[in-house]
mmCIF file of all heavy atoms in Angstrom:
data_model
loop_
_atom_site.group_PDB
_atom_site.id
_atom_site.type_symbol
_atom_site.label_atom_id
_atom_site.label_comp_id
_atom_site.label_asym_id
_atom_site.label_seq_id
_atom_site.Cartn_x
_atom_site.Cartn_y
_atom_site.Cartn_z
ATOM 1 N N LYS A 308 13.517 -130.865 -3.714
ATOM 2 C CA LYS A 308 12.633 -130.430 -4.805
ATOM 3 C C LYS A 308 11.698 -131.554 -5.239
ATOM 4 O O LYS A 308 10.527 -131.308 -5.588
ATOM 5 C CB LYS A 308 13.476 -129.944 -5.987
ATOM 6 C CG LYS A 308 14.219 -128.644 -5.719
ATOM 7 C CD LYS A 308 15.061 -128.227 -6.925
ATOM 8 C CE LYS A 308 15.790 -126.926 -6.674
ATOM 9 N NZ LYS A 308 16.637 -126.516 -7.834
ATOM 10 N N LYS A 309 12.182 -132.775 -5.208
ATOM 11 C CA LYS A 309 11.341 -133.924 -5.588
ATOM 12 C C LYS A 309 10.191 -134.093 -4.598
ATOM 13 O O LYS A 309 9.048 -134.336 -4.987
ATOM 14 C CB LYS A 309 12.200 -135.191 -5.643
ATOM 15 C CG LYS A 309 11.468 -136.428 -6.156
ATOM 16 C CD LYS A 309 12.453 -137.577 -6.334
ATOM 17 C CE LYS A 309 11.783 -138.783 -6.992
ATOM 18 N NZ LYS A 309 10.788 -139.429 -6.134
ATOM 19 N N VAL A 310 10.500 -133.945 -3.296
ATOM 20 C CA VAL A 310 9.463 -134.047 -2.274
ATOM 21 C C VAL A 310 8.430 -132.937 -2.440
ATOM 22 O O VAL A 310 7.218 -133.173 -2.355
ATOM 23 C CB VAL A 310 10.093 -134.005 -0.861
ATOM 24 C CG1 VAL A 310 9.017 -133.841 0.206
ATOM 25 C CG2 VAL A 310 10.899 -135.263 -0.607
ATOM 26 N N ILE A 311 8.896 -131.720 -2.701
ATOM 27 C CA ILE A 311 7.980 -130.595 -2.893
ATOM 28 C C ILE A 311 7.086 -130.834 -4.104
ATOM 29 O O ILE A 311 5.872 -130.603 -4.054
ATOM 30 C CB ILE A 311 8.773 -129.277 -3.050
ATOM 31 C CG1 ILE A 311 9.455 -128.912 -1.730
ATOM 32 C CG2 ILE A 311 7.863 -128.139 -3.497
ATOM 33 C CD1 ILE A 311 10.392 -127.728 -1.833
ATOM 34 N N LYS A 312 7.676 -131.320 -5.169
ATOM 35 C CA LYS A 312 6.905 -131.565 -6.399
ATOM 36 C C LYS A 312 5.832 -132.621 -6.175
ATOM 37 O O LYS A 312 4.709 -132.499 -6.683
ATOM 38 C CB LYS A 312 7.853 -131.999 -7.518
ATOM 39 C CG LYS A 312 7.152 -132.239 -8.847
ATOM 40 C CD LYS A 312 8.162 -132.621 -9.930
ATOM 41 C CE LYS A 312 7.452 -132.873 -11.263
ATOM 42 N NZ LYS A 312 8.413 -133.252 -12.330
ATOM 43 N N GLU A 313 6.161 -133.645 -5.393
ATOM 44 C CA GLU A 313 5.233 -134.758 -5.212
ATOM 45 C C GLU A 313 4.233 -134.536 -4.084
ATOM 46 O O GLU A 313 3.130 -135.102 -4.112
ATOM 47 C CB GLU A 313 6.024 -136.047 -4.958
ATOM 48 C CG GLU A 313 6.850 -136.495 -6.152
ATOM 49 C CD GLU A 313 7.679 -137.736 -5.863
ATOM 50 O OE1 GLU A 313 7.650 -138.205 -4.697
ATOM 51 O OE2 GLU A 313 8.341 -138.235 -6.787
ATOM 52 N N HIS A 314 4.593 -133.731 -3.078
ATOM 53 C CA HIS A 314 3.749 -133.634 -1.885
ATOM 54 C C HIS A 314 3.344 -132.210 -1.519
ATOM 55 O O HIS A 314 2.648 -132.019 -0.516
ATOM 56 C CB HIS A 314 4.462 -134.292 -0.698
ATOM 57 C CG HIS A 314 4.690 -135.760 -0.876
ATOM 58 N ND1 HIS A 314 3.727 -136.700 -0.592
ATOM 59 C CD2 HIS A 314 5.758 -136.449 -1.359
ATOM 60 C CE1 HIS A 314 4.197 -137.910 -0.868
ATOM 61 N NE2 HIS A 314 5.425 -137.789 -1.326
ATOM 62 N N ALA A 315 3.764 -131.223 -2.303
ATOM 63 C CA ALA A 315 3.345 -129.838 -2.042
ATOM 64 C C ALA A 315 3.199 -129.071 -3.347
ATOM 65 O O ALA A 315 3.384 -127.862 -3.380
ATOM 66 C CB ALA A 315 4.348 -129.148 -1.119
ATOM 67 N N PHE A 316 2.840 -129.766 -4.403
ATOM 68 C CA PHE A 316 2.871 -129.154 -5.735
ATOM 69 C C PHE A 316 1.804 -128.075 -5.907
ATOM 70 O O PHE A 316 1.930 -127.218 -6.776
ATOM 71 C CB PHE A 316 2.707 -130.225 -6.823
ATOM 72 C CG PHE A 316 1.409 -130.976 -6.766
ATOM 73 C CD1 PHE A 316 0.321 -130.572 -7.525
ATOM 74 C CD2 PHE A 316 1.277 -132.084 -5.945
ATOM 75 C CE1 PHE A 316 -0.875 -131.268 -7.478
ATOM 76 C CE2 PHE A 316 0.073 -132.782 -5.891
ATOM 77 C CZ PHE A 316 -0.999 -132.377 -6.655
ATOM 78 N N VAL A 317 0.749 -128.080 -5.080
ATOM 79 C CA VAL A 317 -0.282 -127.046 -5.196
ATOM 80 C C VAL A 317 -0.164 -126.002 -4.089
ATOM 81 O O VAL A 317 -0.989 -125.100 -4.011
ATOM 82 C CB VAL A 317 -1.698 -127.672 -5.159
ATOM 83 C CG1 VAL A 317 -1.913 -128.558 -6.362
ATOM 84 C CG2 VAL A 317 -1.926 -128.431 -3.865
ATOM 85 N N ASP A 318 0.848 -126.108 -3.260
ATOM 86 C CA ASP A 318 1.022 -125.190 -2.131
ATOM 87 C C ASP A 318 2.043 -124.135 -2.503
ATOM 88 O O ASP A 318 3.256 -124.380 -2.482
ATOM 89 C CB ASP A 318 1.483 -125.978 -0.895
ATOM 90 C CG ASP A 318 1.381 -125.159 0.383
ATOM 91 O OD1 ASP A 318 1.353 -123.916 0.285
ATOM 92 O OD2 ASP A 318 1.328 -125.756 1.473
ATOM 93 N N ASN A 319 1.586 -122.926 -2.827
ATOM 94 C CA ASN A 319 2.525 -121.885 -3.266
ATOM 95 C C ASN A 319 3.312 -121.270 -2.130
ATOM 96 O O ASN A 319 4.137 -120.391 -2.348
ATOM 97 C CB ASN A 319 1.793 -120.794 -4.066
ATOM 98 C CG ASN A 319 0.689 -120.122 -3.262
ATOM 99 O OD1 ASN A 319 0.608 -120.271 -2.037
ATOM 100 N ND2 ASN A 319 -0.168 -119.385 -3.959
ATOM 101 N N ARG A 320 3.075 -121.718 -0.901
ATOM 102 C CA ARG A 320 3.910 -121.254 0.217
ATOM 103 C C ARG A 320 5.289 -121.906 0.198
ATOM 104 O O ARG A 320 6.243 -121.375 0.780
ATOM 105 C CB ARG A 320 3.231 -121.583 1.553
ATOM 106 C CG ARG A 320 1.913 -120.871 1.811
ATOM 107 C CD ARG A 320 1.269 -121.407 3.078
ATOM 108 N NE ARG A 320 0.965 -122.832 2.973
ATOM 109 C CZ ARG A 320 0.584 -123.596 4.003
ATOM 110 N NH1 ARG A 320 0.487 -123.069 5.215
ATOM 111 N NH2 ARG A 320 0.310 -124.874 3.830
ATOM 112 N N VAL A 321 5.404 -123.063 -0.448
ATOM 113 C CA VAL A 321 6.637 -123.842 -0.395
ATOM 114 C C VAL A 321 7.478 -123.536 -1.620
ATOM 115 O O VAL A 321 7.279 -124.102 -2.700
ATOM 116 C CB VAL A 321 6.343 -125.355 -0.301
ATOM 117 C CG1 VAL A 321 7.639 -126.133 -0.099
ATOM 118 C CG2 VAL A 321 5.382 -125.630 0.844
ATOM 119 N N ASP A 322 8.432 -122.647 -1.464
ATOM 120 C CA ASP A 322 9.340 -122.265 -2.539
ATOM 121 C C ASP A 322 10.708 -122.881 -2.240
ATOM 122 O O ASP A 322 11.316 -122.570 -1.215
ATOM 123 C CB ASP A 322 9.449 -120.741 -2.620
ATOM 124 C CG ASP A 322 10.219 -120.262 -3.842
ATOM 125 O OD1 ASP A 322 11.167 -120.967 -4.268
ATOM 126 O OD2 ASP A 322 9.896 -119.186 -4.370
ATOM 127 N N PRO A 323 11.223 -123.755 -3.108
ATOM 128 C CA PRO A 323 12.506 -124.420 -2.819
ATOM 129 C C PRO A 323 13.688 -123.463 -2.734
ATOM 130 O O PRO A 323 14.743 -123.851 -2.238
ATOM 131 C CB PRO A 323 12.670 -125.393 -3.993
ATOM 132 C CG PRO A 323 11.783 -124.868 -5.072
ATOM 133 C CD PRO A 323 10.635 -124.214 -4.380
#
Side-chain angles (χ1 to χ4, degrees):
K308 291 179 179 179
K309 186 173 186 292
V310 169
I311 292 173
K312 182 178 180 180
E313 294 177 357
H314 296 277
F316 61 94
V317 295
D318 193 339
N319 59 14
R320 295 173 299 170
V321 186
D322 188 327

